[in-house]
Amino acid sequence: MRTLLLLMAVSISAISCGPNSSPEKRMNIKNQELDQKVEVIFKQQKILRL
């Protein structure tokens, strides 16, 4: 039973240590995605105004 718990703890910690696992990095990725969407919308507006 202890070995199973140890194995689960090690596997969970290994999975949660990804490059984008911190809240700040996830927030930065979301902000970048939103910035790209805003740029696309501005370009579409410029096209529609012409």
Side-chain angles (χ1 to χ4, degrees), residues 20-36:
N20 300 324
S21 62
S22 75
E24 291 177 9
K25 289 183 182 179
R26 288 193 305 260
M27 183 181 65
N28 287 338
I29 291 172
K30 287 181 182 179
N31 284 341
Q32 289 173 353
E33 291 173 354
L34 288 174
D35 287 340
Q36 290 174 354

Side-chain angles (χ1 to χ4, degrees), residues 37-49:
K37 289 179 182 180
V38 167
E39 287 179 24
V40 168
I41 290 172
F42 279 136
K43 288 178 184 178
Q44 289 175 346
Q45 285 180 342
K46 286 181 182 179
I47 292 171
L48 290 174
R49 289 181 183 167

